[in-house]
Amino acid sequence: IYVQSAYGSALGSESIGQMGNPIDAMNSLVQTQMEILLTMYDNRELDEINSQDMDSINESLRENNAFLVIKKADEIIYQGVERLDMGLKEQLPGAANHHGDTVSYITVPKSYMFRQIDFQFTDGDPGSVFLIAYLGDIVPKFKKVAFSLIMILVFVSVSVSILISAYMYHEFVRPIKSLKHGTTAIMEGDWDYNVKVDSDDELGELCQSFNNMRNELKHSMQQQVEAEEKNRELIANISHDLKTPVTSIKGYAEGLMDGVANSPEKVEKYIRIIYNKANEMDAMINELSLYTKLNSNAIPYNFQAISIDNYMQDCIDEISELGNVAASRGKSQMGGQSCEQFHVKYKNYCRKGTKVMADPEKIRRVVSNIITNSQKYCDKEQCEVDIRLKQVNDMVQFEFEDNGCGISEEDLPNIFNRTYRADEARRSMGGSGLGLAIAKKVVEEHGGAMWATSRLGVGTSIFFTLQSVEE
C-alpha cells in the first residue's frame, strides 16, 4: 500500500523488489504505456498524430509521475505538461532510429529520465516520441517509501515482540509465578492453595505434579499431627494406668514399713500384692515398648510355613494351662460375678496339612492377647472360648468366640485403637489397653485382616486371617 501510494497503482506486489531502484520502478510503472506507444509509432509512417489518443496515454502516465513529448523535426508538436522546462526542450535529441529500448538521462538543468521512439511522417520529416519522468519527484518518493517500510518493520517487530511476550507470560511466566505463590503459601502453612492448571504441556504437568505433591504433603502432615495427638494420648493413658499399680505398691510398702502387716500372713499377702503389681507394670511397659517398635518397623519378622493344626494345638495347651493358673489365683470381677473356670475349645475345619506363612512367635502373641482379653473381661462363672479355623479362598480364617460381657455397638469400632477401653469398669482391670492394637498390627504385617463382632451380655467374636501356603 505504501509503495503504490508513492509510485502509483500500476506497481504490483510481484515487482515489489524494484522499489529498491527508482529507475527500475519507473520503468515498470510506464511499461504498459510504452508498449502502446511502440505499437503506434515504432517504424511507422504517419500523416499526423492523434491528440486524443496521446491525451489518454498521457493522463495514465501522469498518475505515475511521467508525461509525453512529441517532436517533428526540431519542433515540439505535443507536450503532456502545461509548461515544459526550456533546458529539457533544448536537450531532447533528434531522431536516430530509437525503438524505446534505451533509457537516457538529462541532468542539466534538472534530472530527467526518458525513453525515445522514432518514426517517420509521410511528408518526409522525422518524428520522435519521448516518454519522460522527472527524477526530482521519484527520488523523494523513494525515500518516503524507504522510511515507511522502516516504520512498518519497526511496528511489526514491536507487535510481534508484544505478542511473543504475551504468549511467554501466559504460557511460562504465569504458571511459574503461580508455582512461586504455591511454595510461599506452603512455607506460610497454607496447605489449601491450589495452583491453577491451564494447559496440558510440560508446565501444566509440573503444576499438576505440584498440586499432587501438596496434597500428599498435606495428608502426611495431617497424619503426623494425628500420630502426635495419639502419641500424647497414649502417653497420658499409660501414665494414668501406671499410677494405679504404683499407688498400690507405695501403699502396701508403707504398710510394711509402718507395721500395719503385723502377722506373717499379712506380710506375705502384702509382698505378693507388691510383686503382682510390679509384674503388671512390667507387662504394661513391655507392651508399650513392643507397640512402639512394631509401629516403627524395628522388629524383624521370621516368616515360615507352619502346619496350622499342630501349631494351634501347642498354643492352646500352653495358654489353657496359664489361664487355669490365672483363674485360680485371682478372679476376674465383672458385674458382681467371678470367673471360676476357664475352658478353651478348638476345632479345625481346614483340610489336613494346611499351612500358613507366618512368624510363629508373633502369631502366638496375637492368640495369647485375644484369649487373655476373653478371660479378663468374662462376667460368667465359667469362661469359655471357642476357637475355629476355616478355609476361606486362599486364606485361613481364625475365629475366637467367648461368652463374656460383650461390647456395645458404639464401642466396637474402637476396640483395636491403642489404649481404648470401653468403660471405667474395663479400665479397672488394669493392663495397657494395647493388646488388640498389637494383635491387629501383627496380623496386618502378615498380609491379613482383623475384625470383631459382639453382643452385649452374650459375648464377643474376634476374627483374623492369614495367607495359606500350598504344599
Side-chain angles (χ1 to χ4, degrees):
I1 292 172
Y2 274 104
V3 172
Q4 291 180 347
S5 68
Y7 290 113
S9 59
L11 186 65
S13 59
E14 68 278 358
S15 58
I16 195 72
Q18 295 175 344
M19 72 174 195
N21 187 328
I23 308 304
D24 287 346
M26 178 53 62
N27 285 329
S28 177
L29 290 171
V30 300
Q31 185 63 36
T32 301
Q33 290 81 6
M34 195 66 198
E35 290 176 356
I36 295 174
L37 292 172
L38 286 170
T39 302
M40 296 174 63
Y41 292 101
D42 190 26
N43 292 323
R44 301 287 297 276
E45 286 189 4
L46 300 174
D47 293 331
E48 59 182 11
I49 65 170
N50 190 325
S51 298
Q52 291 183 349
D53 291 339
M54 293 301 100
D55 289 340
S56 175
I57 296 173
N58 190 78
E59 187 66 26
S60 62
L61 287 173
R62 289 179 63 182
E63 293 179 359
N64 299 317
N65 302 293
F67 60 94
L68 289 177
V69 172
I70 301 177
K71 289 177 64 176
K72 181 178 180 181
D74 294 328
E75 181 185 0
I76 295 178
I77 61 175
Y78 180 87
Q79 62 182 44
V81 291
E82 293 182 359
R83 184 177 178 180
L84 188 63
D85 193 326
M86 290 303 296
L88 173 63
K89 181 178 180 181
E90 292 176 356
Q91 295 192 50
L92 288 177
N97 197 26
H98 294 95
H99 302 285
D101 52 358
T102 302
V103 177
S104 302
Y105 300 94
I106 297 175
T107 58
V108 178
K110 295 181 181 180
S111 297
Y112 291 94
M113 177 192 79
F114 66 90
R115 294 172 70 177
Q116 180 179 355
I117 303 173
D118 294 334
F119 63 96
Q120 188 78 24
F121 284 97
T122 55
D123 59 5
D125 289 335
S128 298
V129 178
F130 297 93
L131 194 158
I132 305 171
Y134 175 46
L135 295 180
D137 291 335
I138 296 175
V139 173
K141 290 181 179 181
F142 169 72
K143 293 179 179 179
K144 175 185 175 182
V145 170
F147 176 77
S148 300
L149 287 177
I150 293 173
M151 295 304 298
I152 290 172
L153 290 175
V154 171
F155 174 77
V156 170
S157 299
V158 172
S159 300
V160 171
S161 298
I162 293 173
L163 291 174
I164 292 176
S165 298
Y167 174 80
M168 294 289 289
Y169 179 83
H170 182 271
E171 294 294 326
F172 298 99
V173 178
R174 189 168 67 172
I176 292 174
K177 289 180 69 175
S178 184
L179 282 173
K180 179 182 177 182
H181 293 157
T183 56
T184 303
I186 290 178
M187 289 174 59
E188 295 174 353
D190 181 9
W191 295 94
D192 294 322
Y193 183 88
N194 192 59
V195 176
K196 188 176 181 181
V197 180
D198 293 329
S199 61
D200 296 329
D201 56 10
E202 289 78 3
L203 273 175
E205 293 176 358
L206 177 61
C207 292
Q208 187 60 51
S209 298
F210 179 87
N211 288 333
N212 295 337
M213 179 194 69
R214 177 189 57 78
N215 290 331
E216 290 297 327
L217 285 175
K218 179 181 178 181
H219 181 65
S220 177
M221 290 295 294
Q222 290 174 343
Q223 286 184 326
Q224 183 177 350
V225 171
E226 292 175 0
E228 290 176 355
E229 182 63 29
K230 289 181 179 180
N231 285 335
R232 285 194 291 269
E233 180 185 354
L234 175 62
I235 293 172
N237 289 337
I238 291 295
S239 300
H240 178 270
D241 291 339
L242 285 174
K243 286 181 180 180
T244 302
V246 168
T247 301
S248 297
I249 290 173
K250 288 175 62 178
Y252 285 105
E254 289 174 358
L256 288 173
M257 290 187 295
D258 295 341
V260 175
N262 51 13
S263 66
E265 291 80 7
K266 282 189 175 183
V267 170
E268 182 182 357
K269 177 181 177 182
Y270 279 27
I271 292 175
R272 185 173 297 281
I273 291 174
I274 291 173
Y275 176 76
N276 289 337
K277 293 298 180 181
N279 283 338
E280 184 180 330
M281 290 176 60
D282 185 59
M284 292 171 64
I285 293 171
N286 287 339
E287 282 196 340
L288 177 60
S289 175
L290 175 62
Y291 183 78
T292 303
K293 290 179 180 179
L294 286 173
N295 268 351
S296 60
N297 297 319
I299 296 181
Y301 284 79
N302 180 26
F303 291 101
Q304 53 186 283
I306 58 176
S307 175
I308 195 62
D309 192 53
N310 296 334
Y311 176 78
M312 285 302 297
Q313 288 286 359
D314 293 340
C315 285
I316 291 170
D317 290 343
E318 179 182 341
I319 294 171
S320 296
E321 182 178 350
L322 294 176
N324 287 329
V325 172
S328 64
R329 285 182 177 177
K331 299 173 183 178
S332 178
Q333 301 293 332
M334 293 292 291
Q337 298 189 22
S338 62
C339 176
E340 297 288 350
Q341 295 181 348
F342 179 68
H343 299 286
V344 177
K345 298 179 182 179
Y346 167 72
K347 183 64 176 178
N348 182 10
Y349 294 98
C350 297
R351 57 182 176 271
K352 188 176 181 180
T354 298
K355 294 183 178 182
V356 294
M357 184 62 68
D359 184 324
E361 292 301 322
K362 303 296 190 301
I363 296 301
R364 190 184 302 274
R365 182 62 178 261
V366 172
V367 175
S368 175
N369 285 355
I370 295 173
I371 294 177
T372 300
N373 269 8
S374 296
Q375 179 190 5
K376 185 184 296 185
Y377 300 120
C378 181
D379 59 350
K380 310 294 192 303
E381 291 185 1
Q382 289 191 356
C383 181
E384 297 180 356
V385 178
D386 288 340
I387 302 176
R388 296 181 291 271
L389 271 60
K390 297 179 181 178
Q391 187 78 36
V392 179
N393 298 326
D394 60 342
M395 307 292 285
V396 174
Q397 180 171 298
F398 295 73
E399 302 177 5
F400 297 80
E401 181 181 1
D402 64 36
N403 63 339
C405 59
I407 305 170
S408 64
E409 291 185 5
E410 58 270 19
D411 292 326
L412 187 62
N414 300 311
I415 63 173
F416 296 107
N417 294 344
R418 55 189 180 185
T419 73
Y420 182 84
R421 279 172 288 188
D423 49 44
E424 291 301 322
R426 286 179 175 249
R427 289 184 180 273
S428 66
M429 298 305 298
S432 65
L434 293 171
L436 289 180
I438 290 174
K440 185 174 183 180
K441 178 67 175 177
V442 170
V443 170
E444 288 175 348
E445 291 294 326
H446 280 70
M450 194 172 194
W451 68 97
T453 60
S454 185
R455 293 173 58 191
L456 278 175
V458 177
T460 301
S461 296
I462 304 291
F463 305 85
F464 71 85
T465 58
L466 294 177
Q467 181 71 46
S468 63
V469 181
E470 294 296 332
E471 190 66 40

